[in-house]
Coordinates of all heavy atoms in Angstrom, one line a residue:
G180 N -19.5 44.0 -8.2 CA -20.7 44.8 -8.8 C -21.4 44.1 -9.9 O -22.0 44.7 -10.7
I181 N -21.3 42.7 -10.0 CA -21.9 42.0 -11.0 C -23.4 41.7 -10.7 O -23.6 41.2 -9.6 CB -21.2 40.6 -11.2 CG1 -19.7 40.9 -11.7 CG2 -21.9 39.7 -12.2 CD1 -19.7 41.5 -13.1
K182 N -24.3 42.0 -11.6 CA -25.7 41.7 -11.4 C -25.9 40.2 -11.8 O -25.8 39.9 -12.9 CB -26.6 42.6 -12.2 CG -26.6 44.0 -11.7 CD -27.5 44.8 -12.6 CE -27.6 46.3 -12.1 NZ -28.5 47.1 -12.9
A183 N -26.1 39.3 -10.8 CA -26.2 37.9 -11.0 C -27.5 37.4 -10.5 O -27.8 37.5 -9.4 CB -25.0 37.2 -10.3
A184 N -28.3 36.9 -11.5 CA -29.5 36.2 -11.2 C -29.2 34.7 -11.1 O -28.2 34.2 -11.6 CB -30.6 36.4 -12.2
N185 N -30.0 33.9 -10.3 CA -29.8 32.5 -10.3 C -31.1 31.7 -10.3 O -32.1 32.2 -9.7 CB -28.9 32.1 -9.2 CG -29.6 32.1 -7.8 OD1 -30.3 31.2 -7.5 ND2 -29.3 33.1 -7.0
Y186 N -31.1 30.7 -11.1 CA -32.3 29.8 -11.2 C -32.0 28.4 -10.9 O -31.0 27.8 -11.4 CB -32.8 29.9 -12.7 CG -33.8 31.1 -12.9 CD1 -33.3 32.4 -12.9 CD2 -35.2 30.8 -13.1 CE1 -34.2 33.4 -13.1 CE2 -36.0 31.9 -13.3 CZ -35.6 33.2 -13.3 OH -36.4 34.2 -13.5
P187 N -32.9 27.7 -10.1 CA -32.7 26.3 -9.9 C -33.2 25.5 -11.1 O -34.3 25.8 -11.7 CB -33.6 26.1 -8.6 CG -34.7 27.1 -8.7 CD -34.1 28.3 -9.4
L188 N -32.5 24.4 -11.4 CA -33.1 23.4 -12.3 C -33.8 22.4 -11.5 O -33.1 21.7 -10.7 CB -31.9 22.8 -13.2 CG -31.2 23.8 -14.1 CD1 -30.1 23.2 -14.8 CD2 -32.1 24.5 -15.1
I189 N -35.1 22.1 -11.8 CA -35.9 21.3 -11.0 C -36.4 20.1 -11.8 O -36.3 20.1 -13.0 CB -37.0 22.1 -10.3 CG1 -37.9 22.7 -11.4 CG2 -36.5 23.1 -9.4 CD1 -39.1 23.4 -10.8
P190 N -37.0 19.1 -11.1 CA -37.5 17.9 -11.9 C -38.5 18.3 -13.0 O -38.5 17.6 -14.0 CB -38.2 17.1 -10.8 CG -37.3 17.4 -9.6 CD -36.9 18.8 -9.7
D191 N -39.3 19.3 -12.8 CA -40.2 19.7 -13.8 C -39.5 20.1 -15.1 O -39.9 19.8 -16.2 CB -41.1 20.9 -13.4 CG -42.1 20.5 -12.4 OD1 -42.3 19.3 -12.2 OD2 -42.8 21.4 -11.8
D192 N -38.3 20.8 -15.0 CA -37.5 21.2 -16.1 C -37.0 19.9 -16.8 O -36.9 19.9 -18.1 CB -36.4 22.1 -15.7 CG -36.8 23.4 -15.1 OD1 -37.8 23.9 -15.6 OD2 -36.2 23.8 -14.1
F193 N -36.6 18.9 -16.0 CA -36.1 17.7 -16.6 C -37.1 16.9 -17.4 O -36.9 16.3 -18.4 CB -35.4 16.8 -15.5 CG -34.4 17.6 -14.7 CD1 -34.2 17.3 -13.3 CD2 -33.5 18.5 -15.3 CE1 -33.3 18.0 -12.6 CE2 -32.6 19.2 -14.5 CZ -32.5 18.9 -13.2
E194 N -38.3 16.9 -16.8 CA -39.4 16.2 -17.5 C -39.8 16.9 -18.8 O -40.1 16.2 -19.8 CB -40.7 16.1 -16.6 CG -40.5 15.2 -15.4 CD -41.6 15.3 -14.4 OE1 -42.7 15.8 -14.8 OE2 -41.5 14.8 -13.3
R195 N -39.8 18.2 -18.8 CA -40.0 19.0 -20.1 C -38.8 18.9 -21.0 O -39.0 19.2 -22.2 CB -40.4 20.4 -19.7 CG -41.7 20.7 -19.1 CD -42.1 22.1 -19.1 NE -41.0 23.0 -18.5 CZ -41.0 23.3 -17.2 NH1 -42.0 23.0 -16.5 NH2 -40.0 24.1 -16.8
D196 N -37.7 18.6 -20.4 CA -36.4 18.5 -21.2 C -36.1 19.9 -21.8 O -35.6 20.0 -22.9 CB -36.5 17.5 -22.3 CG -35.2 16.9 -22.6 OD1 -34.3 16.9 -21.7 OD2 -35.0 16.4 -23.7
K197 N -36.4 21.0 -21.0 CA -36.1 22.3 -21.5 C -35.7 23.2 -20.4 O -36.1 23.0 -19.2 CB -37.4 22.9 -22.1 CG -37.8 22.3 -23.5 CD -39.1 23.0 -24.0 CE -39.5 22.4 -25.3 NZ -40.7 23.1 -25.8
L198 N -34.9 24.2 -20.7 CA -34.6 25.2 -19.7 C -35.9 26.0 -19.3 O -36.9 26.0 -20.1 CB -33.6 26.2 -20.3 CG -32.2 25.8 -20.4 CD1 -31.4 26.8 -21.3 CD2 -31.5 25.6 -19.1
P199 N -35.9 26.6 -18.1 CA -37.1 27.5 -17.8 C -37.3 28.5 -18.9 O -36.3 29.1 -19.4 CB -36.6 28.2 -16.5 CG -35.7 27.2 -15.9 CD -35.0 26.5 -17.0
S200 N -38.6 28.7 -19.3 CA -38.9 29.5 -20.5 C -38.3 30.9 -20.4 O -38.0 31.5 -21.4 CB -40.4 29.5 -20.7 OG -41.1 30.0 -19.6
A201 N -38.3 31.4 -19.1 CA -37.9 32.8 -19.0 C -36.4 33.0 -19.3 O -36.0 34.2 -19.6 CB -38.1 33.3 -17.5
L202 N -35.6 31.9 -19.4 CA -34.2 32.1 -19.6 C -33.8 31.9 -21.1 O -32.7 32.2 -21.5 CB -33.5 31.0 -18.8 CG -33.7 30.9 -17.3 CD1 -32.8 29.9 -16.7 CD2 -33.5 32.3 -16.7
L203 N -34.7 31.4 -21.9 CA -34.3 31.0 -23.3 C -33.7 32.2 -24.1 O -32.7 31.9 -24.8 CB -35.6 30.5 -24.0 CG -36.1 29.1 -23.4 CD1 -37.4 28.7 -24.2 CD2 -35.0 28.1 -23.5
E204 N -34.2 33.4 -23.9 CA -33.6 34.5 -24.8 C -32.4 35.0 -24.2 O -31.8 35.9 -24.8 CB -34.7 35.6 -24.9 CG -35.1 36.3 -23.6 CD -36.1 37.4 -23.9 OE1 -35.7 38.3 -24.6 OE2 -37.2 37.3 -23.3
F205 N -31.9 34.5 -23.0 CA -30.7 35.0 -22.4 C -29.6 34.0 -22.3 O -28.8 34.0 -21.4 CB -31.0 35.6 -21.0 CG -32.1 36.7 -21.0 CD1 -33.4 36.4 -20.5 CD2 -31.9 37.9 -21.6 CE1 -34.4 37.4 -20.5 CE2 -32.8 38.9 -21.6 CZ -34.1 38.6 -21.1
K206 N -29.6 33.0 -23.2 CA -28.7 31.9 -23.1 C -27.3 32.3 -23.1 O -26.4 31.6 -22.5 CB -29.0 30.8 -24.2 CG -30.1 29.9 -23.9 CD -30.4 28.9 -25.0 CE -29.2 28.0 -25.2 NZ -29.4 27.0 -26.2
N207 N -27.0 33.4 -23.7 CA -25.6 33.9 -23.8 C -25.1 34.4 -22.4 O -23.9 34.5 -22.2 CB -25.4 35.0 -24.8 CG -26.2 36.2 -24.4 OD1 -27.4 36.1 -24.0 ND2 -25.7 37.4 -24.6
K208 N -26.0 34.6 -21.5 CA -25.6 35.0 -20.2 C -25.6 33.9 -19.1 O -25.2 34.1 -18.0 CB -26.6 36.1 -19.7 CG -26.6 37.4 -20.5 CD -27.5 38.4 -19.9 CE -27.5 39.7 -20.7 NZ -28.4 40.7 -20.0
I209 N -26.0 32.7 -19.5 CA -26.1 31.6 -18.6 C -24.8 30.9 -18.3 O -24.1 30.6 -19.2 CB -27.2 30.6 -19.1 CG1 -28.6 31.3 -19.2 CG2 -27.3 29.4 -18.1 CD1 -29.7 30.4 -19.7
F210 N -24.6 30.6 -17.0 CA -23.5 29.8 -16.6 C -24.0 28.8 -15.6 O -24.7 29.1 -14.7 CB -22.3 30.7 -16.0 CG -21.1 29.9 -15.8 CD1 -20.1 30.0 -16.8 CD2 -20.8 29.1 -14.7 CE1 -18.9 29.3 -16.7 CE2 -19.7 28.4 -14.6 CZ -18.7 28.5 -15.5
G211 N -23.6 27.5 -15.8 CA -24.1 26.5 -14.9 C -23.1 26.0 -13.8 O -21.9 26.0 -14.0
L212 N -23.7 25.6 -12.7 CA -22.9 25.0 -11.6 C -23.5 23.6 -11.4 O -24.7 23.4 -11.4 CB -23.1 25.8 -10.3 CG -22.5 27.3 -10.3 CD1 -22.7 27.9 -8.9 CD2 -21.1 27.3 -10.7
S213 N -22.5 22.7 -11.2 CA -22.9 21.3 -10.9 C -22.2 20.9 -9.6 O -21.4 21.7 -9.0 CB -22.6 20.4 -12.0 OG -23.2 19.1 -11.8
I214 N -22.4 19.7 -9.2 CA -21.8 19.2 -7.9 C -21.9 17.7 -7.9 O -22.8 17.2 -8.6 CB -22.6 19.8 -6.7 CG1 -21.9 19.6 -5.4 CG2 -24.0 19.4 -6.7 CD1 -22.5 20.3 -4.2
T215 N -21.0 17.0 -7.2 CA -21.1 15.6 -7.2 C -22.4 15.2 -6.4 O -22.8 15.8 -5.4 CB -19.9 14.9 -6.5 OG1 -19.8 15.3 -5.2 CG2 -18.7 15.3 -7.3
P216 N -23.1 14.1 -6.8 CA -24.3 13.7 -6.0 C -24.0 13.4 -4.6 O -24.8 13.7 -3.7 CB -24.7 12.4 -6.8 CG -24.1 12.5 -8.1 CD -22.8 13.3 -8.0
E217 N -22.8 12.8 -4.3 CA -22.5 12.5 -2.9 C -22.4 13.8 -2.0 O -23.0 13.8 -0.9 CB -21.2 11.8 -2.8 CG -21.2 10.4 -3.4 CD -21.2 10.4 -5.0 OE1 -20.8 11.5 -5.5 OE2 -21.5 9.4 -5.6
R218 N -21.7 14.8 -2.5 CA -21.6 16.1 -1.8 C -23.0 16.8 -1.7 O -23.3 17.3 -0.7 CB -20.6 17.0 -2.5 CG -20.4 18.3 -1.8 CD -20.0 18.2 -0.4 NE -19.9 19.5 0.3 CZ -20.1 19.7 1.6 NH1 -20.5 18.7 2.4 NH2 -20.0 20.9 2.1
L219 N -23.8 16.7 -2.8 CA -25.1 17.3 -2.8 C -26.0 16.7 -1.7 O -26.7 17.4 -1.0 CB -25.7 17.2 -4.2 CG -27.1 17.8 -4.3 CD1 -27.1 19.3 -4.1 CD2 -27.6 17.5 -5.7
S220 N -25.9 15.3 -1.6 CA -26.7 14.6 -0.6 C -26.3 15.1 0.8 O -27.2 15.2 1.7 CB -26.5 13.1 -0.8 OG -27.3 12.4 0.1
E221 N -25.0 15.2 1.0 CA -24.6 15.7 2.3 C -25.1 17.0 2.7 O -25.6 17.2 3.8 CB -23.0 15.7 2.4 CG -22.3 14.4 2.3 CD -20.8 14.6 2.3 OE1 -20.3 15.7 2.5 OE2 -20.1 13.6 2.1
I222 N -25.1 18.0 1.7 CA -25.5 19.3 2.0 C -27.0 19.3 2.2 O -27.5 20.0 3.1 CB -25.2 20.2 0.8 CG1 -23.7 20.4 0.7 CG2 -25.8 21.6 0.9 CD1 -23.2 21.1 -0.6
R223 N -27.8 18.6 1.4 CA -29.2 18.6 1.5 C -29.7 17.9 2.8 O -30.7 18.3 3.4 CB -29.9 17.9 0.3 CG -29.8 18.7 -1.0 CD -30.5 18.0 -2.1 NE -30.5 18.9 -3.3 CZ -31.1 18.6 -4.4 NH1 -31.7 17.4 -4.5 NH2 -31.2 19.4 -5.4
N224 N -28.9 16.9 3.3 CA -29.3 16.2 4.5 C -29.1 17.1 5.7 O -29.7 16.9 6.7 CB -28.4 14.9 4.7 CG -29.2 13.7 4.1 OD1 -30.3 13.4 4.6 ND2 -28.6 13.0 3.1
E225 N -28.2 18.1 5.6 CA -28.0 19.0 6.7 C -29.3 19.9 6.9 O -29.6 20.4 7.9 CB -26.8 19.9 6.4 CG -25.5 19.2 6.5 CD -24.3 20.1 6.1 OE1 -24.5 21.2 5.8 OE2 -23.2 19.6 6.1
R226 N -30.0 20.1 5.7 CA -31.2 20.9 5.8 C -32.5 20.1 5.9 O -33.3 20.5 6.7 CB -31.3 21.7 4.4 CG -32.3 22.8 4.4 CD -32.2 23.6 3.1 NE -33.1 24.7 3.1 CZ -33.2 25.6 2.2 NH1 -32.4 25.5 1.1 NH2 -34.0 26.6 2.2
R227 N -32.6 19.0 5.2 CA -33.8 18.2 5.3 C -33.4 16.7 5.4 O -33.4 16.0 4.4 CB -34.7 18.4 4.1 CG -35.3 19.8 4.1 CD -35.9 20.2 2.8 NE -36.9 19.3 2.3 CZ -37.5 19.5 1.1 NH1 -37.2 20.6 0.4 NH2 -38.4 18.6 0.7
A228 N -32.9 16.3 6.6 CA -32.4 15.0 6.7 C -33.4 13.9 6.5 O -34.6 14.0 6.9 CB -31.9 14.8 8.2
G229 N -33.0 12.8 5.7 CA -33.9 11.7 5.5 C -35.0 11.9 4.5 O -35.8 11.0 4.2
S230 N -35.0 13.1 3.8 CA -36.0 13.4 2.8 C -35.7 12.8 1.4 O -34.5 12.5 1.2 CB -36.2 14.9 2.7 OG -35.0 15.5 2.2
K231 N -36.7 12.7 0.6 CA -36.4 12.3 -0.8 C -35.5 13.3 -1.5 O -34.6 13.0 -2.3 CB -37.7 12.1 -1.6 CG -37.5 11.8 -3.1 CD -38.8 11.7 -3.8 CE -38.5 11.4 -5.3 NZ -39.8 11.4 -6.1
Y232 N -35.7 14.6 -1.1 CA -34.9 15.7 -1.7 C -33.4 15.4 -1.5 O -32.6 15.8 -2.3 CB -35.4 17.0 -1.0 CG -34.5 18.2 -1.1 CD1 -34.5 18.9 -2.3 CD2 -33.8 18.7 -0.1 CE1 -33.8 20.1 -2.5 CE2 -33.0 19.8 -0.2 CZ -33.0 20.5 -1.4 OH -32.3 21.7 -1.5
A233 N -33.1 14.8 -0.3 CA -31.7 14.6 0.0 C -31.2 13.2 -0.3 O -30.0 13.0 -0.2 CB -31.5 14.9 1.5
A234 N -32.0 12.4 -0.7 CA -31.6 11.0 -1.0 C -30.6 10.9 -2.1 O -30.7 11.6 -3.1 CB -32.9 10.1 -1.4
I235 N -29.6 10.0 -1.9 CA -28.5 9.9 -2.9 C -29.1 9.6 -4.3 O -28.5 10.1 -5.3 CB -27.4 8.9 -2.4 CG1 -26.2 8.9 -3.4 CG2 -28.0 7.5 -2.3 CD1 -25.5 10.2 -3.4
E236 N -30.1 8.7 -4.4 CA -30.6 8.3 -5.7 C -31.2 9.6 -6.4 O -31.0 9.7 -7.6 CB -31.7 7.3 -5.5 CG -31.2 5.9 -5.0 CD -31.1 6.0 -3.5 OE1 -31.5 7.0 -2.8 OE2 -30.5 5.0 -2.9
N237 N -32.0 10.4 -5.6 CA -32.5 11.6 -6.2 C -31.5 12.6 -6.6 O -31.6 13.2 -7.7 CB -33.5 12.2 -5.2 CG -34.2 13.5 -5.8 OD1 -34.9 13.4 -6.8 ND2 -33.9 14.6 -5.2
C238 N -30.4 12.7 -5.8 CA -29.3 13.6 -6.1 C -28.6 13.2 -7.4 O -28.3 14.0 -8.2 CB -28.4 13.7 -5.0 SG -29.0 14.6 -3.5
R239 N -28.4 11.9 -7.5 CA -27.8 11.4 -8.8 C -28.6 11.7 -10.0 O -28.1 12.1 -11.0 CB -27.6 9.9 -8.7 CG -26.5 9.4 -7.7 CD -26.1 8.0 -8.0 NE -25.0 7.6 -7.0 CZ -25.3 6.8 -6.0 NH1 -26.5 6.3 -5.8 NH2 -24.3 6.4 -5.2
Y240 N -29.9 11.5 -9.8 CA -30.9 11.8 -11.0 C -30.8 13.3 -11.3 O -30.6 13.6 -12.5 CB -32.3 11.4 -10.6 CG -33.3 12.0 -11.5 CD1 -33.5 11.4 -12.8 CD2 -34.1 13.1 -11.1 CE1 -34.5 12.0 -13.6 CE2 -35.1 13.6 -12.0 CZ -35.3 13.0 -13.2 OH -36.2 13.6 -14.1
E241 N -30.9 14.2 -10.4 CA -31.0 15.6 -10.7 C -29.6 16.1 -11.3 O -29.7 16.9 -12.2 CB -31.3 16.4 -9.4 CG -32.7 16.2 -8.9 CD -33.1 17.2 -7.8 OE1 -32.5 18.4 -7.8 OE2 -34.0 16.9 -7.0
V242 N -28.5 15.7 -10.7 CA -27.2 16.1 -11.2 C -27.0 15.6 -12.6 O -26.6 16.3 -13.5 CB -26.1 15.6 -10.3 CG1 -24.7 15.8 -11.0 CG2 -26.1 16.3 -8.9
N243 N -27.4 14.3 -12.9 CA -27.2 13.8 -14.2 C -28.0 14.5 -15.2 O -27.6 14.9 -16.3 CB -27.6 12.3 -14.2 CG -27.3 11.6 -15.5 OD1 -26.2 11.6 -16.0 ND2 -28.4 11.1 -16.1
E244 N -29.3 14.8 -14.9 CA -30.2 15.4 -15.8 C -29.8 16.9 -16.0 O -29.9 17.4 -17.2 CB -31.6 15.4 -15.3 CG -32.3 14.0 -15.3 CD -32.4 13.4 -16.7 OE1 -32.8 14.1 -17.6 OE2 -32.0 12.3 -16.9
A245 N -29.3 17.5 -15.0 CA -28.9 18.9 -15.1 C -27.7 19.0 -16.0 O -27.6 19.9 -16.9 CB -28.6 19.5 -13.8
E246 N -26.7 18.2 -15.8 CA -25.5 18.2 -16.7 C -25.8 17.8 -18.1 O -25.3 18.4 -19.0 CB -24.5 17.2 -16.1 CG -23.9 17.7 -14.8 CD -22.8 16.8 -14.3 OE1 -22.5 15.8 -14.9 OE2 -22.2 17.1 -13.2
K247 N -26.7 16.9 -18.3 CA -27.1 16.6 -19.7 C -27.8 17.8 -20.4 O -27.5 18.1 -21.5 CB -28.1 15.4 -19.7 CG -27.5 14.0 -19.5 CD -28.5 12.9 -19.2 CE -29.6 12.9 -20.3 NZ -30.6 11.8 -20.0
M248 N -28.6 18.5 -19.6 CA -29.3 19.6 -20.2 C -28.3 20.7 -20.5 O -28.4 21.4 -21.6 CB -30.4 20.2 -19.2 CG -31.1 21.4 -19.7 SD -32.4 22.0 -18.5 CE -33.6 20.6 -18.6
M249 N -27.4 21.0 -19.6 CA -26.4 22.1 -19.9 C -25.5 21.7 -21.1 O -25.2 22.6 -21.9 CB -25.6 22.3 -18.6 CG -26.4 23.0 -17.5 SD -25.4 23.5 -16.1 CE -25.0 21.9 -15.3
K250 N -25.1 20.5 -21.2 CA -24.3 20.1 -22.4 C -25.1 20.2 -23.7 O -24.6 20.7 -24.7 CB -23.8 18.6 -22.2 CG -22.8 18.5 -21.1 CD -22.5 17.0 -20.9 CE -21.5 16.8 -19.8 NZ -21.2 15.4 -19.5
R251 N -26.4 19.8 -23.6 CA -27.2 19.8 -24.8 C -27.5 21.3 -25.2 O -27.5 21.6 -26.4 CB -28.5 19.1 -24.5 CG -29.4 19.0 -25.8 CD -30.7 18.3 -25.5 NE -31.5 19.0 -24.5 CZ -31.7 18.6 -23.3 NH1 -31.1 17.5 -22.8 NH2 -32.5 19.3 -22.4
E252 N -27.7 22.2 -24.3 CA -28.0 23.6 -24.6 C -26.7 24.4 -24.8 O -26.8 25.6 -25.1 CB -28.8 24.2 -23.4 CG -30.1 23.5 -23.2 CD -31.1 23.9 -24.2 OE1 -30.9 24.8 -25.0 OE2 -32.2 23.2 -24.3
G253 N -25.6 23.8 -24.7 CA -24.3 24.5 -25.0 C -24.0 25.5 -23.9 O -23.3 26.6 -24.1
I254 N -24.4 25.2 -22.6 CA -24.2 26.1 -21.5 C -22.8 25.8 -20.9 O -22.5 24.7 -20.6 CB -25.3 26.0 -20.5 CG1 -26.6 26.5 -21.1 CG2 -25.0 26.7 -19.2 CD1 -27.8 26.2 -20.2
R255 N -22.0 26.8 -20.7 CA -20.8 26.7 -20.0 C -21.1 26.4 -18.5 O -21.9 27.0 -17.9 CB -19.9 28.0 -20.1 CG -19.5 28.3 -21.5 CD -19.2 29.8 -21.7 NE -20.5 30.5 -21.6 CZ -20.5 31.8 -21.9 NH1 -19.4 32.5 -22.1 NH2 -21.7 32.5 -21.8
W256 N -20.3 25.4 -17.9 CA -20.6 25.1 -16.5 C -19.3 24.5 -15.9 O -18.4 24.1 -16.6 CB -21.7 24.1 -16.4 CG -21.5 22.7 -17.1 CD1 -21.6 22.4 -18.4 CD2 -21.1 21.5 -16.5 NE1 -21.3 21.1 -18.7 CE2 -21.0 20.5 -17.5 CE3 -20.8 21.1 -15.2 CZ2 -20.6 19.2 -17.2 CZ3 -20.4 19.8 -14.9 CH2 -20.3 18.9 -15.9
L257 N -19.3 24.4 -14.6 CA -18.3 23.7 -13.9 C -18.8 23.1 -12.6 O -19.9 23.4 -12.2 CB -17.1 24.7 -13.5 CG -17.5 25.9 -12.6 CD1 -17.6 25.6 -11.2 CD2 -16.4 27.0 -12.8

Side-chain angles (χ1 to χ4, degrees):
I181 295 293
K182 292 182 178 179
N185 75 77
Y186 272 73
L188 296 178
I189 60 177
D191 286 351
D192 299 319
F193 306 143
E194 290 175 13
R195 289 193 305 267
D196 209 24
K197 291 182 179 178
L198 287 169
S200 58
L202 306 184
L203 294 177
E204 63 177 301
F205 305 108
K206 281 180 62 174
N207 63 315
K208 297 183 177 184
I209 296 177
F210 192 94
L212 296 183
S213 189
I214 190 172
T215 62
E217 293 76 17
R218 179 57 182 151
L219 181 62
S220 180
E221 289 178 9
I222 295 171
R223 289 183 173 184
N224 267 301
E225 291 174 1
R226 188 172 187 180
R227 290 165 58 181
S230 64
K231 178 183 177 182
Y232 168 75
I235 186 63
E236 296 82 5
N237 182 62
C238 291
R239 287 196 183 106
Y240 166 75
E241 289 192 28
V242 170
N243 183 61
E244 291 299 311
E246 290 184 359
K247 281 169 53 179
M248 180 179 291
M249 290 187 287
K250 290 175 182 176
R251 186 179 63 252
E252 297 288 343
I254 294 172
R255 296 156 289 185
W256 64 278
L257 60 77

